[in-house]
Amino acid sequence: MGLGRGIGGALLFALPMQMTMEMWALGFTMERWRLVLLLLVALPLLVGIAHKVGFEQTFGWKDDFRDAVIAYALGILTSGFILCLFRLLEPGMPWSEVIGKIAVQSIPASMGALLGRSQLGSAHESGDDDKATYGGELFLMAVGALFLNLNMAPTEEMILISYKMTTWHALAVIAASLIIMHAFVYAVSFKGGHEISDDTPKWHAFFRFTLPGYTIALLISLYSLWTFERLDGSNLTPAIMAMVVLAFPGAIGASAARLII
């Protein structure tokens, strides 16, 4: 049953990227060392997600690592299947292109495979998680930001939007990101959100969680843009603007991750 949910989660979360032209192109144009680095960065993130919401309850890091490897395998299998189904992988295609296309798609698919348990499992299974530590909460933010960034960083629109914006627009986007991020978890009482006790200062949650979470979203956005070669040849100012643009969905992903995982 856990593997079935994993396959369902991989399809559900990764299908938009598997049907995106930029992601197909990155499979054979992306520098291989950046792709390998992304695969290596993804592995500890998968282990961390497996520790929080793996296919089943685990009792140690060995079990978490096993679940992460299984999720990677499911991500590879489902990505290969979907790409073949859409005739994006064909006989006679160079192996480097085949491997590249599957590898770049397998990361979001494997994250979706692990998230399948929390999103597709029954209510009593998804509600048994313990309270996350402060570091654990920041980790979940990084996972959520990376997942949404993987959807959008490869697209040309991130760069186009950043070129159309002025400095004032960028400042407004930063303010909106912080407000929405804080509202998601504390102010609007979404399901799974956190309640601030009456004796806790209002600024406490903002400076302890929202501001560090947004900083993480910015760094994840910068890394995602660099990985997908969107910053190559850019000067400092356009790179910062693109980072701010991508951090907007990244911040929403970071805050939503704390609600759904």
Side-chain angles (χ1 to χ4, degrees), residues 23-24 26-30 32 35-36 39 72 75-76 79-80 83 88-90 93-107:
M23 290 293 281
W24 311 336
L26 282 168
F28 60 87
T29 62
M30 187 175 174
R32 289 308 183 239
L35 180 57
V36 170
L39 294 171
Y72 236 141
I76 291 171
S79 297
L83 292 175
L88 298 168
L89 296 179
E90 295 182 284
M93 191 174 282
W95 276 106
S96 61
E97 183 176 346
V98 173
I99 293 172
K101 282 185 174 179
I102 294 177
V104 76
Q105 298 281 3
S106 67
I107 298 169

Side-chain angles (χ1 to χ4, degrees), residues 126-173:
S126 60
D128 58 357
D129 295 323
D130 53 356
K131 290 286 185 183
T133 61
Y134 179 65
E137 297 233 8
L138 296 182
F139 169 77
L140 293 181
M141 290 185 185
V143 170
L146 179 63
F147 185 80
L148 226 58
N149 280 178
L150 288 176
N151 277 276
M152 300 180 181
T155 65
E156 294 284 351
E157 285 78 1
M158 295 301 106
I159 304 301
L160 178 62
I161 293 171
S162 67
Y163 273 105
K164 291 176 70 68
M165 288 175 27
T166 65
T167 302
W168 290 108
H169 286 99
L171 293 174
V173 169

Side-chain angles (χ1 to χ4, degrees), residues 43-54:
L43 187 57
L45 291 178
L46 291 175
V47 174
I49 299 172
H51 181 69
K52 184 66 179 172
V53 286

Side-chain angles (χ1 to χ4, degrees), residues 62-230:
K62 287 184 178 179
D63 294 340
D64 299 330
F65 183 77
R66 178 205 60 195
D67 277 4
V69 172
I70 292 173
Y72 236 141
L74 291 178
I76 291 171
L77 290 174
T78 55
S79 297
F81 171 74
I82 293 297
L83 292 175
C84 287
L85 192 66
F86 294 151
R87 206 184 170 193
L88 298 168
L89 296 179
E90 295 182 284
M93 191 174 282
W95 276 106
S96 61
E97 183 176 346
V98 173
I99 293 172
K101 282 185 174 179
I102 294 177
V104 76
Q105 298 281 3
S106 67
I107 298 169
S110 55
M111 293 173 73
L114 286 171
L115 294 175
R117 181 205 171 201
S118 64
Q119 296 307 297
L120 306 180
S122 57
H124 71 276
E125 287 174 293
S126 60
D128 58 357
D129 295 323
D130 53 356
K131 290 286 185 183
T133 61
Y134 179 65
E137 297 233 8
L138 296 182
F139 169 77
L140 293 181
M141 290 185 185
V143 170
L146 179 63
F147 185 80
L148 226 58
N149 280 178
L150 288 176
N151 277 276
M152 300 180 181
T155 65
E156 294 284 351
E157 285 78 1
M158 295 301 106
I159 304 301
L160 178 62
I161 293 171
S162 67
Y163 273 105
K164 291 176 70 68
M165 288 175 27
T166 65
T167 302
W168 290 108
H169 286 99
L171 293 174
V173 169
I174 292 172
S177 300
L178 288 168
I179 292 170
I180 293 173
M181 196 172 183
H182 193 71
F184 249 76
V185 183
Y186 294 104
V188 190
S189 298
F190 281 110
K191 179 183 178 183
H194 297 240
E195 293 185 2
I196 305 174
S197 59
D198 295 335
D199 56 345
T200 303
K202 297 295 182 185
W203 52 264
H204 180 270
F206 181 82
F207 285 101
R208 183 170 169 78
F209 293 105
T210 304
L211 203 55
Y214 184 64
T215 303
I216 289 173
L218 284 171
L219 294 175
I220 294 287
S221 299
L222 184 63
Y223 171 70
S224 301
L225 290 166
W226 173 81
T227 295
F228 293 127
E229 303 173 353
R230 294 303 180 200

